[in-house]
Amino acid sequence: MSRIEVPMPQMGESIAEGTVSKWLKAPGDAVERDEPILEISTDKVDAEIPAPAAGMLAEILVGEGETVEVGTVVAYISEGATEAAATPEPEPEPSNVSADAPDGANRNAAPSAAAIPLPPVPSSEPGAVAAGDGASEEVVCTTTSEERLRTRSTPVVRRIAQEAGVDIASVPGTGHQGRVTKQDILSFIESGGAKAGLPAEDAPPTPSRVTPQQRDIAEPTPEAGDPEAPARPAEAPRVPAVAATRAAPPTRTPKAAPPSDLWKRFHKEVEHPVFPVREGDRVETMNKVRRLTAEHMVLAKRISSHVHSIIEIDFSIVDRIRRENKARWAERGARVSYTAFVAWACSRILRDFPSVNGTISGNNIVYRGAVNIGMAVDLNPGLIVPVIHDADDLSLVGTARKIIDLATRAKSRQLSPGEIQGATFTITNPGVLGTIVGMPIIPKGTSAILGTGSIDKRVVVVADPATGEDAMAIRKRSFFSLGYDHRLVDGADSARFLSRLKELLEDFPEDA
């Protein structure tokens, strides 16, 4: 009977990892080929993952709520199996029979859930575990498989628990079979659960970006009986590493990111500070959209050197064109908004400003060959940015139709992965909700974002067309802000871009 791997799929060229949202099948369930067996979430889309073959779901390796890299095996399917146990077949366990027992004695006896012997370790006696001072002692494992799964967690979870003085076994887990996830431990600490752990004076100091490997090197274990050794809180006997990771495949072994890959290293280490919860507060775990938004905003703010420039634009001519053509556009099934005018204008001038349409990648500058405009869409709550690819090839009406189509399908969660990636420039419109001007954060992988404010009637000074003298007039005007990465875009480049945009919108072509 062959076992088929179920890997975390690649949902887009820029997606490096995915989160298991929900398992639709349990171990032991029969599955058909192409039948959905789990739901995953990425920073782009949610999707159901089908079974690659018919058979039985033999083993689940990644629990709900866990995030793993693309290509990581998340489960195994026993191809062609018609019936099997609901749990994976256990690996051979070392026998408790003495070394001089006759061959075959109790070799096939199934270990009970209450006393499962540990895997073999380098020792002359079965079950002996090396202690910190070199002595050996008999250790008998009395935990069930579910309990072992709960205490087996990621390095990040273990580090957070250690720093907060929390026993992972006391944390309610929401992962697969009660496994403790990162959100579980953070929620437990925020709710005051850490008080049940180590006293504050006994809790280990919080390291400053120290990896578990570095901590092991920097803090060697003191020798037993050493009078100079600092007092440490009592710890449960350590289970050999081979026992703790027995059910994990080699691909699940944590590996340090290459030192040169700063982006990936920081992305993996993004953690938000924890604050005390006061009386009357309500604590909720962040959902996927909010968590990913928070991580991306921290990353973008840390990487890009943000600067903002603001300009005021007169929409009088745009407003007149909309009024005059509204009925004609409606007959063609199109609704042209102010945002469509702005997107069309940006698409026409971005090729003249390659730095605004580019990005910094490592020590290189990438000048994009296409003009792909991301349009921020409010999901209330949440935010998503679908992309108009090759926007400079569309007419004004074509741009308007594309915006409405993407926004409609974004709110109903019907976008494909390709429709929410590849943006070279982004437009966000807080003005639709009355905001006068915004200071948006530049999305990663781009160098600029345009924020459009509310379009309001204002009293302004204009030249009287008859006399040429200054006169008071009422005009529809709006403030635009351009957020740009100062590593690539200079202030003068930003000013020239905004000036060109102002000229195009204030003298908008009738044949667009």
Side-chain angles (χ1 to χ4, degrees):
M1 182 185 301
S2 61
R3 284 160 61 92
I4 306 298
E5 295 180 348
V6 181
M8 176 63 69
Q10 176 79 53
M11 299 298 293
E13 61 181 2
S14 64
I15 298 176
E17 61 184 15
T19 301
V20 176
S21 301
K22 181 181 180 181
W23 280 100
L24 305 177
K25 296 287 186 178
D29 288 351
V31 297
E32 298 293 334
R33 181 180 176 86
D34 297 329
E35 179 185 7
I37 58 174
L38 77 154
E39 295 176 355
I40 68 166
S41 300
T42 70
D43 57 352
K44 303 292 185 181
V45 292
D46 298 342
E48 292 183 343
I49 305 305
M56 181 198 70
L57 183 59
E59 185 176 5
I60 290 177
L61 303 178
V62 178
E64 293 180 356
E66 289 191 70
T67 301
V68 295
E69 294 183 358
V70 168
T72 301
V73 178
V74 299
Y76 285 103
I77 291 177
S78 293
E79 190 175 19
T82 56
E83 58 181 25
T87 55
E89 181 181 347
E91 296 180 9
E93 301 286 355
S95 174
N96 285 335
V97 182
S98 60
D100 56 352
D103 291 343
N106 293 330
R107 291 284 177 89
N108 298 323
S112 65
I116 300 177
L118 294 173
V121 295
S123 174
S124 58
E125 297 181 10
V129 180
D133 57 357
S136 298
E137 56 179 315
E138 187 78 13
V139 177
V140 178
C141 180
T142 61
T143 59
T144 65
S145 60
E146 288 78 8
E147 290 172 338
R148 292 200 303 275
L149 184 61
R150 274 179 46 75
T151 56
R152 191 172 70 245
S153 54
T154 64
V156 172
V157 172
R158 290 195 294 273
R159 177 164 62 83
I160 294 174
Q162 181 184 15
E163 293 171 359
V166 174
D167 181 6
I168 294 181
S170 65
V171 180
T174 61
H176 176 56
Q177 295 187 6
R179 184 167 179 170
V180 178
T181 66
K182 179 180 175 182
Q183 292 302 323
D184 293 335
I185 187 69
L186 293 178
S187 299
F188 184 79
I189 295 171
E190 290 176 359
S191 63
K195 296 178 181 178
L198 296 174
E201 61 271 15
D202 293 335
T206 301
S208 176
R209 288 281 182 237
V210 179
T211 64
Q213 294 83 357
Q214 292 171 329
R215 188 182 297 112
D216 291 341
I217 297 174
E219 300 178 8
T221 303
E223 295 294 333
D226 185 356
E228 301 298 328
R232 304 187 71 173
E235 297 180 354
R238 292 191 176 184
V239 179
V242 66
T245 61
R246 182 183 53 185
T251 54
R252 299 278 291 137
T253 303
K255 295 182 180 179
S260 60
D261 194 352
L262 294 178
W263 182 278
K264 183 175 181 181
R265 254 197 303 161
F266 180 73
H267 179 72
K268 293 295 183 183
E269 296 176 5
V270 167
E271 293 178 11
H272 308 289
V274 178
F275 300 99
V277 179
R278 302 182 179 90
E279 183 178 357
D281 294 346
R282 180 167 55 91
V283 179
E284 292 182 358
T285 301
M286 286 193 292
N287 60 27
K288 177 185 66 67
V289 173
R290 178 52 50 202
R291 176 175 56 81
L292 292 172
T293 300
E295 291 180 357
H296 288 180
M297 294 303 98
V298 171
L299 282 169
K301 200 69 174 177
R302 177 185 174 96
I303 300 299
S304 298
S305 178
H306 281 65
V307 182
H308 289 83
S309 296
I310 300 174
I311 199 168
E312 189 177 15
I313 297 178
D314 193 321
F315 272 79
S316 298
I317 292 181
V318 169
D319 187 56
R320 176 183 60 80
I321 294 175
R322 286 188 73 226
R323 290 197 313 270
E324 293 176 352
N325 294 277
K326 184 176 182 180
R328 181 170 62 87
W329 289 335
E331 292 176 357
R332 299 165 58 185
R335 180 167 56 88
V336 183
S337 63
Y338 288 113
T339 303
F341 281 84
V342 176
W344 184 90
C346 288
S347 70
R348 292 312 186 268
I349 65 175
L350 277 170
R351 286 197 179 277
D352 297 332
F353 296 89
S355 61
V356 179
N357 196 53
T359 189
I360 288 182
S361 177
N363 292 324
N364 299 319
I365 299 176
V366 180
Y367 297 107
R368 299 298 186 184
V371 175
N372 301 334
I373 298 182
M375 306 295 300
V377 175
D378 175 28
L379 299 180
N380 190 27
L383 180 76
I384 194 169
V385 185
V387 179
I388 304 175
H389 290 86
D390 299 316
D392 53 338
D393 291 338
L394 300 176
S395 65
L396 174 63
V397 174
T399 301
R401 285 176 171 164
K402 193 67 175 178
I403 291 174
I404 293 174
D405 172 62
L406 291 174
T408 301
R409 289 191 292 115
K411 293 179 180 180
S412 60
R413 308 296 199 275
Q414 294 179 347
L415 294 174
S416 65
E419 292 176 316
I420 51 178
Q421 56 186 316
T424 61
F425 182 80
T426 304
I427 298 175
T428 182
N429 183 18
V432 72
L433 298 175
T435 301
I436 296 175
V437 65
M439 300 291 183
I441 295 177
I442 307 164
K444 64 180 183 180
T446 62
S447 65
I449 181 173
L450 182 70
T452 61
S454 58
I455 301 175
D456 303 315
K457 291 181 178 180
R458 298 191 179 95
V459 177
V460 297
V461 177
V462 298
D464 189 307
T467 64
E469 299 293 331
D470 289 344
M472 305 292 288
I474 298 177
R475 296 286 188 269
K476 280 193 173 182
R477 300 172 74 89
S478 176
F479 290 103
F480 281 16
S481 66
L482 182 70
Y484 54 95
D485 188 348
H486 211 345
R487 298 177 302 164
L488 176 57
V489 182
D490 295 329
D493 295 329
S494 169
R496 282 189 282 266
F497 176 86
L498 289 174
S499 294
R500 284 280 301 279
L501 183 61
K502 176 183 175 72
E503 291 173 3
L504 186 53
L505 288 172
E506 292 184 348
D507 190 18
F508 202 88
E510 299 282 349
D511 59 349

